[in-house]
Amino acid sequence: MTVGVVIVSHSRALAEGTAELARTLGLDRVRVEPAGGDSGGGLGTSAELVAGAVSRADSGDGVVLLADLGSAVLTVKTYLLDAPGTALFADAPLVEGAVAAASAAASGAGAEEVAAAAREAYAHRKG
């Protein structure tokens, strides 16, 4: 089992694309699930989609959630208020954090370490 990762975005396409990249770079050993858009398929966020993604990503070792901005962050934080278990929010850049989280999870890191790896992605400069 590994720690799962959930990508929460206002855009379904962005969440799915980020999840695909992170899943691939996590060597397909990590459950990386998208929760993008609102329940009707438009832009927005959905607590129901987040709960479903967490359920699919959780193999028993916990789940780390990443969010793009604004109401996606609020949706994750609200979910975590009522969520039983070992789900954590990582305040991290979405794409870089997701890749770092999936890589850490694939190496067997625990939930706290996976969240820390995602947060450390802020330090990776591109220039």
Side-chain angles (χ1 to χ4, degrees):
M1 290 190 276
T2 60
V3 172
V5 178
V6 171
I7 310 301
V8 183
S9 173
H10 286 77
S11 164
R12 182 185 335 180
L14 179 57
E16 289 174 350
T18 302
E20 176 187 22
L21 178 63
R23 192 179 303 114
T24 300
L25 295 176
L27 306 174
D28 291 321
R29 294 184 200 152
V30 181
R31 293 181 186 173
V32 182
E33 294 293 334
D38 66 16
S39 58
L43 290 178
T45 58
S46 164
E48 293 80 23
L49 291 178
V50 170
V54 169
S55 179
R56 290 188 306 277
D58 192 359
S59 66
D61 286 340
V63 176
V64 172
L65 295 97
L66 294 96
D68 58 5
L69 53 103
S71 66
V73 174
L74 293 174
T75 299
V76 168
K77 288 183 175 183
T78 300
Y79 169 79
L80 291 175
L81 289 174
D82 298 323
T86 55
L88 302 172
F89 172 60
D91 179 4
L94 189 65
V95 175
E96 295 88 340
V99 168
S103 295
S107 73
E112 291 285 348
E113 296 163 311
V114 170
R119 288 190 297 269
E120 289 171 12
Y122 272 125
H124 299 271
R125 306 319 297 165
K126 296 177 185 160

